[in-house]
Amino acid sequence: MDKMSPSQMFVGSTRKARSSSSHLISVRLPEELLERLADIGNKQGLAMSDTIRLVLERGIRATDQPKGK
């Protein structure tokens, strides 16, 4: 992939207002992970922060599932 800033990797944005209980954080992520997140977000028309939130929520939900399901 050509050198782009992380925000340039996301083509679409369907941003909605976030609740006031959200907190701003800063996380360093490897380029490969950002590219993978961009692929997921672009397929679903999401902005970067929405995609990261979605992937985190899916991962947490998956770890909450009892083993064997």
Side-chain angles (χ1 to χ4, degrees):
M1 186 175 249
D2 292 332
K3 277 289 187 196
M4 289 189 255
S5 72
S7 61
Q8 291 173 320
M9 292 180 193
F10 287 80
V11 295
S13 178
T14 55
R15 303 198 86 188
K16 54 186 172 189
R18 288 278 144 212
S19 70
S20 61
S21 63
S22 294
H23 298 275
L24 179 65
I25 63 167
S26 176
V27 179
R28 292 185 187 273
L29 300 173
E31 192 71 30
E32 178 187 338
L33 182 55
L34 288 173
E35 291 172 8
R36 291 170 62 195
L37 287 166
D39 288 340
I40 293 167
N42 287 334
K43 288 177 185 171
Q44 298 186 26
L46 298 173
M48 183 188 326
S49 60
D50 295 328
T51 302
I52 293 170
R53 190 176 301 107
L54 175 73
V55 170
L56 286 169
E57 287 172 355
R58 285 178 182 170
I60 290 170
R61 242 184 277 123
T63 61
D64 290 342
Q65 298 294 322
K67 290 189 178 192
K69 284 198 171 188

